[in-house]
Amino acid sequence: EKIQFDIWGFIDENYKQFLMNIDKKKMLNFKGNYESSDLVKISESSDLSIIPSIWEDCAPLVLAEALALKLPVIAANIGGISDFISNGYNGFLYKYDSPVELSKVLNKFIQNPNLINELRGNCKLPYSFNDFIEHLIKVYNILITKDEIDCFEIEKYFIKQTKSNQTNLNLNNKKEIVMSSEGMNRVQFEQNIYGGFSNKLAGGVLP
């Protein structure tokens, strides 16, 4: 009674049936595919956007859509999502494999619906396309003039150029860099990794 979930996008019929079978309280509404022209209508009937990713994604398009439509985002803390969402500012993050944490975040909004409007005012795209182009130019200039590149130097430059996002990103502490021959996947680590796609340095030998 207190919450309903509209699920947008393609879904396998077998998986859909599985979800319907476990949805004892009939809280799930399967809406199907949508077009970009449907976004405004979708946002008008929604309070929040939930992005329950279980695999790394640098920047899901649905994340940009939600922020542009002033929808606070509840998202899994995985991949590059935390580069765009700050807890209590424009949404909340939860541990990607913890339904319990997700339910706690949802209960925050059930107990305090006014929180939606508080966060909505901070929902906007933190980086413009021009910001991104300027960032790429800076990266290429560093590559041309230096033998080595410092990823933290690059990120600090980017945040400096995008002042609107400075308040909520913490760049003061460098995180431990781990060497590994395994596939690059940050969820294998316990460290609080920030930015980028992985904190592993990859190495290899050409055949």
Side-chain angles (χ1 to χ4, degrees):
E1 298 177 359
K2 295 183 178 180
I3 191 169
Q4 291 288 318
F5 299 91
D6 292 339
I7 302 176
W8 292 91
F10 169 80
I11 184 170
D12 177 79
E13 282 300 320
N14 291 331
Y15 185 50
K16 178 180 177 180
Q17 189 59 52
F18 169 77
L19 293 176
M20 292 175 66
N21 290 340
I22 63 175
D23 180 26
K24 302 302 182 183
K25 295 185 178 181
K26 306 302 179 185
M27 302 170 70
L28 304 182
N29 303 312
F30 296 91
K31 298 292 188 176
N33 292 333
Y34 66 94
E35 303 291 337
S36 58
S37 57
D38 300 322
L39 289 174
V40 173
K41 185 177 180 180
I42 291 173
S43 68
E44 289 174 348
S45 63
S46 304
D47 295 313
L48 303 163
S49 177
I50 302 176
I51 306 177
S53 299
I54 58 174
W55 184 249
E56 295 186 6
D57 196 330
C58 293
L61 181 58
V62 67
L63 175 58
E65 291 173 345
L67 292 176
L69 292 166
K70 297 289 185 180
L71 288 176
V73 175
I74 300 173
N77 190 6
I78 190 172
I81 293 176
S82 60
D83 293 343
F84 295 84
I85 302 301
S86 295
N87 276 321
Y89 179 73
N90 56 0
F92 285 94
L93 299 168
Y94 68 93
K95 193 172 184 294
Y96 80 98
D97 60 350
S98 176
V100 173
E101 281 195 19
L102 173 56
S103 66
K104 288 180 179 179
V105 173
L106 291 171
N107 274 317
K108 286 179 186 287
F109 291 95
I110 293 173
Q111 299 300 322
N112 181 18
N114 291 330
L115 186 58
I116 295 172
N117 288 330
E118 292 176 17
L119 301 184
R120 195 183 292 270
N122 300 320
C123 291
K124 59 185 177 181
L125 290 175
Y127 313 123
S128 70
F129 185 71
N130 286 337
D131 291 330
F132 180 64
I133 295 300
E134 289 296 323
H135 178 56
L136 284 182
I137 292 173
K138 175 68 174 181
V139 171
Y140 281 122
N141 284 335
I142 291 178
L143 288 172
I144 291 170
T145 58
K146 287 187 174 183
D147 293 329
E148 297 182 357
I149 186 169
D150 184 339
C151 65
F152 293 99
E153 177 184 350
I154 294 297
E155 294 208 21
K156 285 181 179 179
Y157 170 80
F158 190 42
I159 300 305
K160 181 179 179 182
Q161 293 299 103
T162 54
K163 294 181 180 178
S164 63
N165 202 45
Q166 258 185 325
T167 305
N168 298 284
L169 292 178
N170 179 11
L171 298 178
N172 295 324
N173 298 318
K174 295 186 178 182
K175 303 301 180 182
E176 179 184 355
I177 295 178
V178 181
M179 288 293 294
S180 174
S181 59
E182 299 175 4
M184 292 198 291
N185 182 349
R186 80 173 65 201
V187 302
Q188 297 173 20
F189 293 91
E190 294 298 325
Q191 295 97 327
N192 179 21
I193 303 164
Y194 98 107
F197 188 74
S198 177
N199 76 327
K200 290 189 182 179
L201 299 179
V205 180
L206 291 174

